[in-house]
Amino acid sequence: MPSQKKPFDARETKRFAAEIRKNCIRALEAAGSGHIGGSMSIADMLAVLYNDILNIDPADPQWEERDWVVLSKGHCGPALYATLALKGYFDPAELLTLNKGGTHLPSHCDRLKTTGVDISTGSLGQGLSLASGVALGKRLQGIPGKVYAILGDGELQEGQNWEAFMFIAHRKLTNLVVLIDNNRRQLDGYVKDICNEEDLGNKLSAFGFEIRRVDGHDVTQLYNALISAGSGDRPTAVICDTEKGHGGCFAEIDGFNHYMPVSHEDAERAIAEIDRRLEAEI
Amino acid sequence: MSVLLDSFAPDTVEMRQAYCDALIAEAKVNDKLMVVDADVSHSVGTGRFYAAFPERAVNCGIMEAQAVGMSAGLSATGLVPFFHAFGVFATRRVFDQLFLSCAYQDLNVKIIGADPGVTAATNGGTHMPFEDLGLMRLIPHTTVIEPADSTMYASVVHEMAQTYGVIYLRTSRRVTTKLYRDGTQFKIGKAMRLYEGKDVYIIACGIMVYEALKARELLKAEGIDAGVIDMHTLKPLDNDAVLDAARRAGAIVTAENHNATGGLGSAVSELLCAEYPVPVERVGVFESFGEVGSQAFLQERFKLTAAEIARKAKICIERKGGKG
């Protein structure tokens, strides 16, 4: 059984988010390169979920009544791995094995390799369908717990997501919460230039979802949106407006930052900056 | 007593009817079993399951990718979903979902592909999978099955439900020729050795088992002793049955309602070339798309007939240097 959660404390969650970013950057530094942009943009979502929202037990990762997380944008595994390690699912030292031969931490999420990863992802557009099956399976069997699916906005170009949105709304799977990392960018550039998706809120609302729109780097806004999600009769989609690369200063650039080399100097500079910003903020 | 009937005639039940009966019987003793459809439940015959177990049947609508991924998610919570679609949409259309959402993460989904090959008949080339067996064989750790008649189809449902992993079964949904006596038991991965032979063995699956049995009679009339094996499970292949046949006769003909590449002929050839090389001839579809027509017309069109099996058997015997 999981331990009782403490009352929400934004400062503590911000500290956790900073630790996620720092550990993720160290992992990418050890690997030499990686998916820095999207990993940084979901760090605050992961911090709020794992610190304040999820009903989980790191000592019993397969606990049947747990909340599940499906990171559909599976290339951002490094951020999830940092989070899981900090929560005690495995030794944080393992983070330095990211992408190395024989590692338990592959570039894209693999439930068979990494303790705490609920669903394998990496082929964009498939995670939400899996999440919908988990949510329906829980409901049919009367198993408590919610399913949180994290999708990228670029990923929403995959049509399978829209099949899943229809299915989830039709079945009223309110035990499933969709988080959209709306960092407005995809590998090749800005979403609006490649295949515009806006107005995302209206689209998802038309598909039958209750929409919440938050600053995806504001842990208080995220917490307030997530803590009450699923209480109505429509499933909830939380559109999290984010910045690709946010918090990893060398990746906070207008140019290509989907996948970047990460040098020791980059990592040192970024970690110092994360500490400086955290200090200034709290 | 042989497992085969004394004479063969069109079945009194459709494949889909026998299947749904078996599915309902299994669901009565297995509360994890689920039915998932993508708007062809009437066609594949699961309709009565919805009446029997409405809470355990999910018709997703026309969204096969979602249906497969959702099925994988159901199985992650311990349920055992059987997903149904026409063979082309159950495999080709959702190959990446079957690969990554199901097999890659070791989830437990059963896939029923209806209307394989020429049994798609008047639905024509768009609906006629000649490649599904090959696609499904390529995914690691899958099981691939093609039953020959309703007795076998109904019989394997229980074992499919009890066997963890991704299992693909392709079958006609309509009336086929009934071959096996009621109550015959089949084991996934264990071939049915229907006749032993000393000159050549015919290894067949699905509707081609009946053609193989007829081919055996054609060859017998010419003094050729042909063995017949129903290789209902293409993967894992019953290696012992194939190797034993190769050792006994030294000549093998494969017969499948599928592209001659990728399916049964490939599986048998891959084994034999490594373990016990003997002449192999393949009966199947060569470098062609499907087309519209009656099943009988299409079997002639693509040479999926007893006569073609017999012709290739004789070529194969000649290649090994003659009878015996």
Side-chain angles (χ1 to χ4, degrees), chain B residues 180-256:
Chain B
Y180 292 103
R181 292 181 194 280
D182 290 334
T184 305
Q185 289 301 306
F186 304 90
K187 177 99 186 105
I188 293 173
K190 181 77 180 160
M192 299 300 285
R193 297 169 62 144
L194 302 178
Y195 287 101
E196 304 301 347
K198 65 178 194 303
D199 297 325
V200 63
Y201 268 81
I202 307 162
I203 301 178
C205 60
I207 62 166
M208 296 308 288
V209 175
Y210 179 47
E211 298 303 315
L213 292 167
K214 289 190 289 184
R216 180 179 176 275
E217 295 302 317
L218 296 175
L219 291 164
K220 196 171 164 185
E222 296 186 46
I224 295 169
D225 184 15
V228 177
I229 293 174
D230 179 346
M231 191 62 77
H232 50 79
T233 307
L234 281 81
K235 186 184 170 192
L237 191 70
D238 186 343
N239 291 358
D240 291 344
V242 175
L243 291 170
D244 190 59
R247 288 191 189 101
R248 282 172 186 246
I252 301 285
V253 178
T254 61
E256 62 199 300

Side-chain angles (χ1 to χ4, degrees), chain B residues 31 36 49 74 106 120 127 139 146 154 160 164 229 233 236 249 264 307:
Chain B
D31 65 1
V36 178
F49 191 96
L74 287 175
D106 193 26
H127 285 53
I139 302 176
E146 182 170 9
M160 283 179 76
Y164 192 91
I229 293 174
T233 307
L264 180 62

Side-chain angles (χ1 to χ4, degrees), chain B residues 23-91:
Chain B
L23 210 52
I24 289 170
E26 178 65 19
K28 284 178 180 166
V29 296
N30 180 350
D31 65 1
K32 302 294 185 194
L33 191 145
M34 297 278 301
V35 160
V36 178
D37 282 295
D39 200 43
V40 290
S41 67
H42 280 82
S43 311
V44 301
T46 50
R48 285 182 294 119
F49 191 96
Y50 286 72
F53 297 101
E55 74 289 0
R56 289 159 67 182
V58 183
N59 195 337
C60 296
I62 309 166
M63 43 172 78
E64 291 83 4
Q66 161 66 12
V68 169
M70 194 279 296
S71 296
L74 287 175
S75 83
T77 69
L79 296 171
V80 184
F82 279 62
F83 167 63
H84 311 80
F86 294 144
V88 287
F89 309 126
T91 59

Side-chain angles (χ1 to χ4, degrees), chain A:
Chain A
M1 287 292 291
S3 54
Q4 204 66 30
K5 271 193 276 295
K6 289 179 287 185
F8 175 68
D9 175 349
R11 285 178 306 173
E12 190 195 319
T13 306
K14 283 177 187 174
R15 274 191 214 101
F16 186 47
E19 286 305 310
I20 291 171
R21 285 196 169 89
K22 285 156 66 177
N23 278 273
C24 178
I25 288 168
R26 285 293 184 212
L28 295 171
E29 175 200 351
S33 61
H35 291 102
I36 180 79
S39 292
M40 292 297 107
S41 62
I42 63 168
D44 299 296
M45 282 171 232
L46 292 172
V48 174
L49 280 172
Y50 280 85
N51 204 52
D52 303 296
I53 299 291
L54 297 179
N55 201 20
I56 48 173
D57 183 1
D60 183 9
Q62 297 299 313
W63 177 45
E64 191 183 36
E65 297 180 8
R66 74 187 183 279
D67 292 333
W68 291 50
V69 172
V70 178
L71 182 57
S72 189
K73 42 180 300 182
H75 55 285
C76 299
L80 179 59
Y81 305 153
T83 310
L84 293 171
L86 291 166
K87 291 301 289 185
Y89 282 91
F90 52 84
D91 183 352
E94 273 203 56
L95 292 171
L96 303 182
T97 69
L98 178 74
N99 287 352
K100 293 189 163 51
T103 184
H104 293 134
L105 306 176
S107 185
H108 298 78
C109 296
D110 188 330
R111 76 181 197 101
L112 303 179
K113 289 199 160 61
T114 312
T115 306
V117 168
D118 288 317
I119 287 291
S120 304
T121 49
S123 182
L124 293 176
Q126 296 192 26
L128 188 58
S129 297
L130 280 146
S132 73
V134 175
L136 181 60
K138 273 180 172 284
R139 189 170 80 183
L140 289 172
Q141 297 174 92
I143 303 170
K146 284 194 166 79
V147 185
Y148 295 86
I150 304 175
L151 280 63
D153 56 343
E155 179 185 13
L156 294 182
Q157 289 163 352
E158 291 282 4
Q160 187 179 342
N161 287 305
W162 301 90
E163 298 181 359
F165 286 135
M166 274 191 277
F167 179 91
I168 292 159
H170 179 77
R171 302 264 161 191
K172 294 187 167 30
L173 296 178
T174 52
N175 59 342
L176 192 164
V177 179
V178 179
L179 291 91
I180 294 166
D181 175 20
N182 194 39
N183 64 27
R184 298 164 290 112
R185 290 166 78 172
Q186 56 191 105
L187 190 148
D188 269 340
Y190 280 85
V191 173
K192 67 178 170 52
D193 298 330
I194 291 167
C195 188
N196 190 24
E197 294 172 356
E198 291 294 349
D199 181 356
L200 204 47
N202 277 332
K203 282 187 176 131
L204 289 168
S205 179
F207 270 67
F209 278 71
E210 181 183 323
I211 307 305
R212 297 174 186 192
R213 190 147 195 163
V214 301
D215 176 342
H217 300 307
D218 182 323
V219 294
T220 304
Q221 285 190 33
L222 281 164
Y223 176 79
N224 288 334
L226 289 169
I227 196 65
S228 58
S231 51
D233 61 354
R234 302 174 114 201
T236 306
V238 183
I239 301 173
C240 308
D241 291 315
T242 57
E243 177 196 8
K244 193 163 181 171
H246 185 88
C249 61
F250 62 90
E252 293 173 327
I253 55 173
D254 198 40
F256 186 87
N257 70 351
H258 184 79
Y259 185 101
M260 294 174 79
V262 180
S263 69
H264 179 63
E265 292 68 30
D266 290 332
E268 290 295 319
R269 187 162 66 88
I271 285 166
E273 177 64 11
I274 289 166
D275 284 336
R276 191 194 64 76
R277 288 184 197 176
L278 180 69
E279 196 64 31
E281 213 176 341
I282 64 176

